[in-house]
Amino acid sequence: MDVIYPLAVPKRRRLCCEVCEAPAERVCTACTVTYYCGVAHQKADWSSIHQKICQLLIPLRTSMPFYNSEEERQHGLQQLLKRQKHLIEFCYTVAQKYLFEGKHEDAVPAALHSLRFRRNVHGLSSVELVPAYLLLAEASLGLGRIIQAEEYLSQAQCTVLKSTECSNATHSLLHRNLGLLYIAKKNYEEARYHLANDIYFASCAFGTEDIRTSGGYFHLANIFYDLNKLDLADTLYTKVSEIWHKYLDNHYQVLSKDRIQQIDLLGRHFVNDTGLDEAQEAEAIRILTSVLNIRESTSARAPQKTIFVLKTLVMLYHLMNSSKAKEYATRALNLAREQLDVQEQTGIEELLSLISTEEDLPVT
């Protein structure tokens, strides 16, 4: 039974819904420390994040045990803090991944968890709360809730303005989300201003050619594309493609060297790895497939650029051990044949051969 009996709740203890903070009427029977206002929010939280962290919440939401010494007590507090910090990052990454996949409704509970743990660890006015506010703002925009998104962004801005320790990376995220807000409001001038600031702060934090800077270029390119300024959009889409191609190619070359050594020793190969977390992989897929769709719609003008994006997706999916790598490689090969580009054909055929060979090898 997951329904709460009011008389069984300790006096003056208010149980709140995990999703909306309304008075709770239900409890998760698996952990018994998470409460909901009704079935809808319980299901939403479970499918979003709760099933992944259910048992991890128990030691965080129950009373600490009695310790025999101060040293043991301090160790217990350190372990508690460590668990909370782990959940901050885990919930944040899960919410990010949902956003990049376009699952805005699913992102909300995970982002709320990240915000709640951040408040517990850092306090109510810390700049560490800003990334969670921005996740919630982006999810709200995706759901068409512009007023709610503005409220979260306002909280984020106020927190940043009051802080003397805000990093360039956080400034970048704030401006990116403000840019997305103004895109949703069709105010492209303000959107361009904020995305230019996003690129500036991301470049200060990571460099102009870093994958974490590419998102600003991508959203700015989308604005120019919508405004039919195709030359500007094309330049920025090319920049985005080159950043991701360079990152994946460098990573691929490093793994290839290791793989050759492993095959020489054992006749087996390493499991491929992008070097990205799940959210970054989802972002790469979203950005590169969006650029590909645009390239393919204008492929008569620039077929080589379409082939370039296809090859970048081949590397991404190959490093992710996805069967889609062969699909994109085949599409790239067919387009290269149409263009009678012998050099491209040879390179793609070699890549296809490598993919097929590795699929037949045992994995360590």
Side-chain angles (χ1 to χ4, degrees), residues 36-47:
Y36 302 98
C37 63
V39 176
H41 280 179
Q42 185 171 7
K43 288 183 176 179
D45 190 42
W46 178 262
S47 62

Side-chain angles (χ1 to χ4, degrees), residues 260-268:
I260 290 169
Q261 293 173 358
Q262 185 79 343
I263 291 173
D264 288 343
L265 291 172
L266 301 175
R268 296 186 290 180

